[in-house]
Amino acid sequence: VFSSKHDEHLLGGKVEEGILSTKHKARLMRKGVLVTRVDILTAQVARQNVEKVEVGNEFGAQVVCAEEIQGGDIIEVFTEHIA
């Protein structure tokens, strides 16, 4: 986490699998346990705003999260399908 102001956080990370997308929902996981939901406001790769980040790429992101984000936390991005 680079900086935090109230519940907005600026963080950096690397996509380990799948994609990170500003259009999908996300959740904060800590040691395999769900901590809270996360809203991804923006994402950047090489200081360029992007809508998605592919696997293997490092990124910066601005997120809204009610909990403090800690080193080692995982942000899981997912889609919901309504049947």
Side-chain angles (χ1 to χ4, degrees):
V1 177
F2 299 122
S3 68
S4 295
K5 185 175 182 180
H6 304 287
D7 58 352
E8 287 191 17
H9 309 276
L10 184 60
L11 55 89
K14 183 176 182 178
V15 177
E16 296 291 330
E17 57 184 82
I19 63 167
L20 178 132
S21 172
T22 57
K23 295 183 178 183
H24 293 126
K25 298 180 183 287
R27 56 187 160 229
L28 178 68
M29 304 294 290
R30 181 173 298 138
K31 298 180 182 177
V33 177
L34 173 65
V35 176
T36 190
R37 297 287 287 262
V38 177
D39 291 319
I40 303 171
L41 301 178
T42 62
Q44 289 188 344
V45 174
R47 299 192 185 267
Q48 298 295 315
N49 288 335
V50 295
E51 288 186 8
K52 67 179 182 176
V53 183
E54 304 282 338
V55 68
N57 289 311
E58 293 184 346
F59 65 92
Q62 182 179 12
V63 302
V64 174
C65 178
E67 298 290 327
E68 180 181 336
I69 299 174
Q70 301 175 4
D73 285 352
I74 296 173
I75 295 178
E76 291 184 348
V77 179
F78 63 96
T79 56
E80 291 181 323
H81 300 281
I82 300 172

